[in-house]
Amino acid sequence: QQQVRQSPQSLTVWEGETAILNCSYEDSTFNYFPWYQQFPGEGPALLISISSVSDKKEDGRFTIFFNKREKKLSLHITDSQPGDSATYFCAASRNYQLIWGSGTKLIIKP
Amino acid sequence: GALVYQYPRRTICKSGTSMRMECQAVGFQATSVAWYRQSPQKTFELIALSTVNSAIKYEQNFTQEKFPISHPNLSFSSMTVLNAYLEDRGLYLCGARGGQGEQYFGPGTRLTVL
């Protein structure tokens, strides 16, 4: 059973639009939710994260919206750029362990 | 800023041989190090979690006999893949956890087994 789910599997948006990536989880004990950005051939880079006590976290063009009651969160990328094209992973943390989603491949068309 | 270095970036070994990979956290105090393997399908498997001064905890399907890990201090960890075979290929990632719970990853060591 997948504990962290991501959708869509792939997403294509035009440059300048807002990309919305979704994530949901099963276990209510998860308390920390990082999003990672991974380019081909590289390791995942920590992009932005949120703890379960917050409902929103913003960092430049990247915003996480978190709904604890529904166990859902989303990553919004505003004014998307071709350089944002990458695979984005949502993860959930409990103690020291990260549980990963399966990723969303984002393509930004110029 | 917080950085995690991994060495080597790529390695090729013959089936049945072993290879060692290293991980170093720079710019922050790592409270733990987790080793993952990312498959070609991009899924992540946790191999083991290492906290300094505590026993290294291996996940199901991964053993110390196959993936011995050394974690002598807060900033350095190494892992060896012993008797590597085709099913061991993938991108091996080291994730070092900082004091606030954030986990930073290195670029990975890509293992190819011939």
Side-chain angles (χ1 to χ4, degrees), chain A residues 2 31-32 34 36 38-46 49 87 89 93-103, chain B residues 9-10 31-32 34 36 38 41-44 46 49 51 59 91 93 97 100-108 110:
Chain A
Q2 216 174 350
N31 56 13
Y32 170 70
Y36 288 88
Q38 186 176 30
F39 295 106
E42 298 182 15
L46 180 61
S49 63
T87 300
F89 290 95
S93 179
R94 173 180 53 224
N95 298 325
Y96 288 93
Q97 188 171 349
L98 275 182
I99 310 297
W100 295 82
S102 54
Chain B
R9 291 290 305 272
R10 291 179 179 79
T31 58
S32 67
Y36 290 85
Q38 189 177 29
Q41 293 74 34
K42 302 296 185 189
T43 57
F44 294 86
L46 176 63
L49 178 63
T51 308
E59 290 296 297
L91 182 67
L93 294 164
R97 181 182 165 112
Q100 305 301 316
E102 69 283 12
Q103 194 160 44
Y104 300 101
F105 285 87
R110 185 166 297 283

Side-chain angles (χ1 to χ4, degrees), chain A residues 47-51 54-66 74-78:
Chain A
L47 186 65
I48 186 172
S49 63
I50 194 168
S51 74
S54 303
D55 55 15
K56 182 181 177 182
K57 176 82 173 288
E58 194 171 347
D59 185 357
R61 297 186 295 109
F62 302 93
T63 303
I64 299 175
F65 293 93
F66 179 66
S74 60
L75 174 67
H76 291 225
I77 306 174
T78 58

Side-chain angles (χ1 to χ4, degrees), chain B residues 21-103:
Chain B
M21 56 190 78
E22 299 180 348
C23 171
Q24 181 143 23
V26 176
F28 67 106
Q29 287 267 337
T31 58
S32 67
V33 170
W35 286 92
Y36 290 85
R37 181 171 67 200
Q38 189 177 29
S39 69
Q41 293 74 34
K42 302 296 185 189
T43 57
F44 294 86
E45 296 177 278
L46 176 63
I47 297 171
L49 178 63
S50 172
T51 308
V52 174
N53 298 326
S54 296
I56 297 170
K57 184 175 180 297
Y58 285 83
E59 290 296 297
Q60 198 173 10
N61 301 328
F62 296 96
T63 64
Q64 184 181 8
E65 289 72 32
K66 172 73 174 177
F67 299 94
I69 290 170
S70 171
H71 191 185
N73 58 60
L74 288 173
S75 65
F76 182 82
S77 178
S78 66
M79 184 176 74
T80 301
V81 181
L82 294 174
N83 299 317
Y85 288 99
L86 270 178
E87 58 265 26
D88 297 320
R89 63 196 165 145
L91 182 67
Y92 286 82
L93 294 164
C94 166
R97 181 182 165 112
Q100 305 301 316
E102 69 283 12
Q103 194 160 44

